Amino acid sequence: MKSLKIAVLAKQVPDTRNVGKDAMNEDGTINRAALPAIFNPEDMNALEQALRLKDMCPGSTVTVFTMGPERAKEIVLEGMFRGADTGYLLTDRLFAGADTLATSYALSSALRKAGSFDIIVGGRQAIDGDTAQVGPQVAQKLGLPQVTYVEEILALEEGKITLRRAITGGVETVEAPLPVLLTVNGTAAACRPRNAKLVMARKKAEVTAWSVADVDADPAQCGLSGSPTKVKKVDSISFQAKESKRCTSSDEDIRSLVEELITNHTIG
Amino acid sequence: MNWYKDTPEIKLRLENPLMKHIVELKEHGFADALKYDYAPVDVEDALDNYDRVLEIVGDISENVIAPNSEGVDRTGPSCSGGRAHYAPGTAENLEICRQAGLTAIEMPRRYGGLNMPSTIFCAASELISRADAGFQNLLGLQSCACTLYEFGTDDQRDRFITRVCNGETMSMDLTEPDAGSDLQSVALKATFDEAANCWRLNGVKRFITNGDSDIHLVLARSEEGTTDGRGLSMFIYDKREGGVTVRRIEDKMGIHGSPTCELVYNNAKAELCGDRRLGLIKYVMSLMNAARLGIAAQSVGISSAALQEALSYAADRKQFGKTIDNFPAVYEMIAMIKAKLEASRSLLYETANFVDIYKSLEDIARERTLTPEERQECKRYSRLADALTPLAKGMSSEFANQNAYDCIQIHGGSGFMRDYLCERLYRDARITSIYEGTTQLQVVAAIRYVTNETYASMVEEMLSEALPAEFASRQERLREMLAKFRAATEAVTAVKDQDWLDFQARRLVEMAAHCVMGALLLRDAAKAPELLLKSADVYLAYAAAQVEGHSSFIKSSDPAMLSNYQA
Ligand SMILES: Cc1cc2nc3c(=O)[nH]c(=O)nc-3n(C[C@H](O)[C@H](O)[C@@H](O)COP(=O)(O)OP(=O)(O)OC[C@H]3O[C@@H](n4cnc5c(N)ncnc54)[C@H](O)[C@@H]3O)c2cc1C
Ligand SMILES: Cc1cc2nc3c(=O)[nH]c(=O)nc-3n(C[C@H](O)[C@H](O)[C@H](O)COP(=O)(O)OP(=O)(O)OC[C@H]3O[C@@H](n4cnc5c(N)ncnc54)[C@H](O)[C@@H]3O)c2cc1C
């Protein structure tokens, strides 16, 4: 089979799973210093699928794309420590403040610039923005078919890929033509570890940084100016006691709770 | 979040002046940098590489091996169709370590290895063992490749070491039903098959860790009519050739991550490694020394796990209105676990450093003749390493057992339940003082360095090193311990009775060990008082009392009382 050009979309995110006491500043903004920046977890799953494609089809290359501030180059290096061949960091003040529309515009511009990819793999969702829209939007902009919620690659043939994807209450097997964009679920295989030799060989690697101009993008469609989304206000909502219901461990309480849950179709 | 990064006590041991020297010896002028993209260009680069590789190990240990360890302990390996099968968690651990490229940490780059020193391998072993001591055995057996490298031919190195670098596993097949501590009685028969122009092995091996490995080093009797160690040779058995089956695997108390196999050799094709007759007296001795260092590292890993479990439980459990770590009886146990752990660590890494120096010099000697100074350095460190290895193995393993015991005690009744990790630590720790030579056999190996003053002069030398003023009284305390050790040695040897010396040997070796470990820990504590000074003081107080106890026992005993001990 002819070798493939594979792209991985990966985002650096604050580690929202380890939110400590000092995660928020007094003024309600995020205290970045208290939240370590990590590789978006589902993008790790995506990277693993990309590396498996490379294993299945020797000679293929895996390229990581990330958009973020200067330090997001760690994402590209992390990918390369685990087996990706190279990567690009999209960084430019003009990219800043992007919503999903501007993010997918920037990413698709870069993907176009870097050449035609056979398979683009992203995570399902980022743990900070949490929209799960960027992958599908990139596919739309590049005019590619997309398969979301991918859990496993079942087969790779010339010009065709067979996948298992998660759906509510089960799984589905789908076939897609190449080129294609996949978004990978957290239930897919965990990413392989860093490889000792790759870490040593690439620890000082230069990561190519691309600006808006480098990817031939229209500045008006990037960053804040390209984002119709305007965040007006962020509220911290805490649940009130009246929204919860107290129930003791007595047989009677449990029976009435179960009945209630069955009646309102929460269970059963 | 990463066991390596979160344990500055390990990194501290790697930041000593000897390490730079070791890098220079291992890298012979950094010539590999021209050929391999992952080879370092200078000392700093190499040290940074070590750090980064240990970070990978820290991550895998914490996030893969530790989470798998309970399942591995419950499921264990199995045996069917003459083959051993790992528990699923063990198989996953191994696969991840292969992907991370950790299966030949010490091997030269030309075979695909990382060319890292034993010291780094020990740190990796410690981290892995903290997660699962049984699994550490499997990965630790890569040190068999060092023996193959030292004594095999170029062709054997090319064929076998490359495979280990690619992730194949090894085993060392020494023990037999009638040859345990006494390996001179090994009986597995090696005969030369003229027709096929190869050796054939026939017989049984017992208690072989990872006995269904890809490449075995086998001790066998090649010289018909002999009965002692000089009739034994070392062979390489390649599983691809066939001829060895796993008859059963042992149902063990602990280390369920590693299958312990009984092997039947049925006309198995094998090749000689090195010269005939040198199997036990030279090659296996070298093999065992590396393996003993591995068990010392394994023991340190178990102690480190015991410390973490003890700390977190004691900080959580409340009795009489406060957490139990407020009770002197409990915090003393925790402090003792840490002190014994840190003393073991100091000794482990010192020993590993010495091993690295002489092994690297020996390796350089394969390419060019050493200068007279180098030759002397090689000899000196080889002797020191040989002296420290049995101490490290013996003491660290006994301490790991004591620490696991205390860890359960701190957990009270919960510690007796299988719900808590400390129960497994206790079972896993138990083997460390048995395999690779029991503690008693470590004493047998160490006693000559007691009587020839090796340990005493080492300690003396360390005490002559200048430490900050506030360490003077601590050094004085060590001097008193050393004096008691010397007096006790003299008293025992003056009797000139072998049984008497054998009887007192363990006490003498422990006295030596307390002096050596105390001095080493004090030296390390001077470098990082905030990390180690408390532990050093706790250890010194304990060690001084132990030395005093042994000293008083020896003073008040005489050979006539030996009969009291005999049935
Ligand atoms: C309070 C708040 C509210 C917001 N509301 C909206 C809103 O309503 N509409 C809107 O469009 N935006 C909104 N945003 C912005 C948006 O969340 C992100 O900033 C946007 O950049 C990416 O969306 P995501 O993080 O949800 O990514 P997702 O769509 O969840 O990410 C899916 C995948 O796309 C890829 N990907 C995403 N970002 C990158 C990147 N930077 N580099 C490389 N790969 C990447 C990864 O593979 C990732 O797994 C909001 C932001 C804030 C702070
Ligand atoms: C889980 C496990 C894994 C093992 N893995 C391997 C392996 O991979 N490869 C391998 O070759 N072997 C392996 N062994 C074997 C192990 O090395 C031996 O069990 C060990 O060396 C002790 O030998 P033995 O069991 O025959 O005990 P014995 O030699 O019978 O010893 C019994 C007791 O007598 C004492 N004793 C014996 N001789 C003396 C003496 N001269 N002075 C004082 N005391 C003495 C011992 O200290 C011990 O207390 C393994 C064993 C176990 C249990």
Side-chain angles (χ1 to χ4, degrees), chain A residues 1 24 30 51 64 73 78 110 112-113 119 123 127 148 166 191 206 224 227 247 250 257:
Chain A
M1 197 166 43
M24 299 298 278
I30 292 178
L51 295 172
V64 177
K73 73 168 190 222
E78 186 68 55
R112 234 184 245 122
K113 178 79 187 178
I119 303 181
I127 56 170
T148 52
C191 191
E206 291 288 335
L224 215 48
S227 300
C247 149
S250 72
L257 176 67

Side-chain angles (χ1 to χ4, degrees), chain A residues 9-11 40 43 65-67 98-100 103 107 122-126 128-135 229 231:
Chain A
L9 308 181
K11 184 181 185 186
N40 180 48
D43 299 354
F65 290 83
T66 191
M67 183 176 83
D99 65 3
T100 61
T103 302
L107 290 173
R124 177 188 61 104
Q125 183 168 323
D128 57 345
D130 261 341
T131 65
Q133 293 171 5
V134 172
T229 311
V231 179

Side-chain angles (χ1 to χ4, degrees), chain A residues 193-197 203-204, chain B residues 45 48-49 52 99-100 112:
Chain A
R194 290 183 185 177
N195 175 279
K197 286 181 192 172
K203 64 182 184 180
K204 292 181 191 144
Chain B
D45 196 13
D48 179 60
N49 282 348
R52 285 169 184 267
Q99 291 174 337

Side-chain angles (χ1 to χ4, degrees), chain B residues 17 70 97 152 348 374-375 389 398 456 473 476 558:
Chain B
E70 190 182 347
C97 287
L348 170 68
E374 285 173 333
R375 258 204 307 280
T389 301
E398 293 292 334
S473 62
E476 194 43 45
D558 68 81

Side-chain angles (χ1 to χ4, degrees), chain A residues 244-259:
Chain A
S244 69
K245 181 171 176 171
R246 187 168 284 279
C247 149
T248 74
S249 59
S250 72
D251 287 353
E252 201 178 304
D253 269 19
I254 291 172
R255 191 176 309 113
S256 82
L257 176 67
V258 171
E259 270 165 15

Side-chain angles (χ1 to χ4, degrees), chain B residues 167-208:
Chain B
E168 294 193 26
T169 65
M170 295 192 71
S171 59
M172 43 187 272
D173 307 4
L174 316 176
T175 304
E176 295 176 7
D178 294 322
S181 300
D182 175 19
L183 287 175
Q184 301 181 68
S185 348
V186 156
L188 188 108
K189 218 172 142 136
T191 42
F192 195 74
D193 177 347
E194 298 287 351
N197 193 29
C198 68
W199 289 85
R200 298 275 179 196
L201 303 179
N202 283 287
V204 175
K205 290 283 179 190
R206 181 172 79 149
F207 295 165
I208 306 306

